[in-house]
Amino acid sequence: MRLPAPPPPPPAALRDAVLEVAPALSGRAAAMGASANGAALPERLRLPVCFLGVFACYFYYGILQESITRGRYGEGAKQEKFKYALTLVFIQCVINAAFAKLLIHFFDAVKADRTRSWLYAACSLSYLGAMVSSNSALQFVSYPTQVLGKSCKPIPVMLLGVTLLRKKYPPAKYLCVLLIVAGVALFLYKPKKGAGSDDHVFGYGELLLLLSLTLDGLTGVSQDHMRAHYQTGSNHMMLNVNLWSTLFLGAGILFTGELWEFLSFTERYPSIIYNILLFGLTSALGQSFIFMTVVYFGPLTCSIITTTRKFFTILASVILFANPISTMQWVGTVLVFLGLGLDAKFGKGVKKTSH
């Protein structure tokens, strides 16, 4: 009696598809909507990689931003300054969206995005609103005041997450966030020398800073909602938030006529185009790490990383270039490292969310 022949093996393309889909849908990365390239990263390396990626990209980003916005163009009486901030952010968002699209095409094509468009639009509006409010506040308050205000960013992210999304953090997390915020504030604060408007207490600039912080918190809430309800991937979040930002900013620069002034400026000084493209690329790389952090660890951890980034940048310059550091800055340094150490040890309790 002849035994029936075994069924033929599946085609190579089908075997490959099964091998590709299985890892992409396994583990915590799939549960959190992480991209396929992120899923291959060991869990214990994710936070250091995200932190170092954000730090390295935005360190160079800051250098390029200063060289573009504070550089002098032309000679003598015809010297000009770059004053096209909205267009610069518009170009940045276009490059970010294109970069995210490439990441999705090559690494994340299997996962379908189910997130509602209005959530992306709301996230984009709050993100842009926070940035515009913060920059506008500089017209009414000093730069140290603005930096101090923005260093409190983790607080509204945490408070709005607790009140609107009913998230629950371990008590140690609250202490760690307060220590980090207080440490960054002490480190970055530079007391004003000499007599000045010391009687100024609260005004329009401070209101703009409060608005900026509130919008930062709302951005965190919308990102948390995406993670909890739609398991939004980092690349899809980056793509769609930047597409909506491009739409809003594009309307703004066309309405104000800034786009045509910018194009005329680049005709006069074409050398700036290279720096702007490099600026956009570092922004795209940095944003990919930021959205990866949001997807893996949540907006609160992301806001702590972006807040402490300035601190570590300045601390690096102190160490590398032997810049003097005051007693108050040393106290701030101790508080930041104490907060980060306690957070690593005690702040990782199970976080419950009721939606």
Side-chain angles (χ1 to χ4, degrees):
M1 180 177 178
R2 295 177 61 188
L3 293 172
L14 181 58
R15 290 201 306 270
D16 292 345
V18 172
L19 288 174
E20 284 177 9
V21 172
L25 297 179
S26 64
R28 180 170 176 261
M32 300 307 294
S35 58
N37 57 329
L41 196 65
E43 193 167 343
R44 58 191 170 82
L45 292 179
R46 287 175 187 169
L47 188 59
V49 166
C50 287
F51 176 80
L52 290 173
V54 170
F55 179 83
C57 292
Y58 282 102
F59 181 78
Y60 192 39
Y61 170 93
I63 294 171
L64 288 167
Q65 185 180 42
E66 190 163 4
S67 68
I68 292 168
T69 57
R70 303 193 64 171
R72 301 287 179 178
Y73 303 93
E75 295 178 358
K78 293 185 177 180
Q79 200 173 66
E80 296 182 65
K81 290 178 69 176
F82 186 88
K83 53 183 180 181
Y84 311 104
L86 277 182
T87 309
L88 188 63
V89 179
F90 171 78
I91 294 169
Q92 180 183 331
C93 290
V94 169
I95 295 174
N96 290 344
F99 188 77
K101 186 68 177 175
L102 285 173
L103 289 176
I104 290 170
H105 179 75
F106 288 107
F107 302 110
D108 212 7
V110 174
K111 182 177 171 57
D113 183 33
R114 299 181 299 106
T115 312
R116 301 289 180 85
S117 294
W118 69 264
L119 266 175
Y120 286 130
C123 186
S124 170
L125 272 177
S126 58
Y127 162 72
L128 290 174
M131 183 167 57
V132 171
S133 302
S134 174
N135 291 340
S136 300
L138 283 172
Q139 299 175 28
F140 306 96
V141 298
S142 64
Y143 181 71
T145 303
Q146 190 243 30
V147 169
L148 281 175
K150 292 299 284 183
S151 69
C152 299
K153 180 180 175 180
I155 293 178
V157 171
M158 176 178 272
L159 289 179
L160 287 175
V162 169
T163 54
L164 296 182
L165 296 181
R166 304 195 182 281
K167 294 170 73 81
K168 292 183 180 178
Y169 296 98
K173 193 76 173 179
Y174 293 94
L175 175 63
C176 296
V177 168
L178 285 174
L179 283 172
I180 291 168
V181 168
V184 171
L186 283 175
F187 192 88
L188 297 177
Y189 178 67
K190 290 181 176 65
K192 195 172 181 179
K193 296 179 180 179
S197 53
D198 295 333
D199 55 340
H200 174 75
V201 179
F202 200 89
Y204 192 56
E206 286 79 8
L207 283 173
L208 285 170
L209 282 177
L210 278 178
L211 175 62
S212 177
L213 288 171
T214 304
L215 291 171
D216 279 330
L218 289 173
T219 302
V221 166
S222 60
Q223 288 171 337
D224 254 332
H225 187 78
M226 288 185 229
R227 292 171 67 231
H229 286 267
Y230 303 100
Q231 291 79 49
T232 310
S234 58
N235 296 330
H236 286 286
M237 197 182 291
M238 179 177 172
L239 171 65
N240 288 283
V241 169
N242 279 289
L243 282 177
W244 278 101
S245 299
T246 300
L247 181 66
F248 296 136
L249 288 167
I253 59 178
L254 283 172
F255 181 74
T256 59
E258 185 179 303
L259 177 62
W260 317 120
E261 294 176 19
F262 169 78
L263 291 174
S264 175
F265 185 86
T266 55
E267 281 182 12
R268 295 194 297 276
Y269 310 104
S271 59
I272 197 176
I273 296 173
Y274 174 76
N275 275 347
I276 288 175
L277 291 176
L278 205 55
F279 171 78
L281 183 59
T282 55
S283 167
L285 286 168
Q287 267 209 5
S288 67
F289 284 111
I290 280 181
F291 282 106
M292 196 185 297
T293 307
V294 169
V295 165
Y296 280 136
F297 306 104
L300 180 61
T301 301
C302 185
S303 68
I304 291 172
I305 287 177
T306 53
T307 298
T308 52
R309 176 184 64 83
K310 278 183 183 174
F311 162 81
F312 281 109
T313 302
I314 298 173
L315 189 62
S317 79
V318 168
I319 295 168
L320 293 174
F321 303 108
N323 291 325
I325 184 169
S326 68
T327 305
M328 189 165 65
Q329 287 177 313
W330 278 118
V331 172
T333 303
V334 171
L335 287 178
V336 168
F337 280 109
L338 181 62
L340 292 172
L342 289 174
D343 187 45
K345 182 75 176 172
F346 304 109
K348 301 291 188 292
V350 178
K351 184 174 56 180
K352 298 176 184 177
T353 310
S354 60
H355 295 283

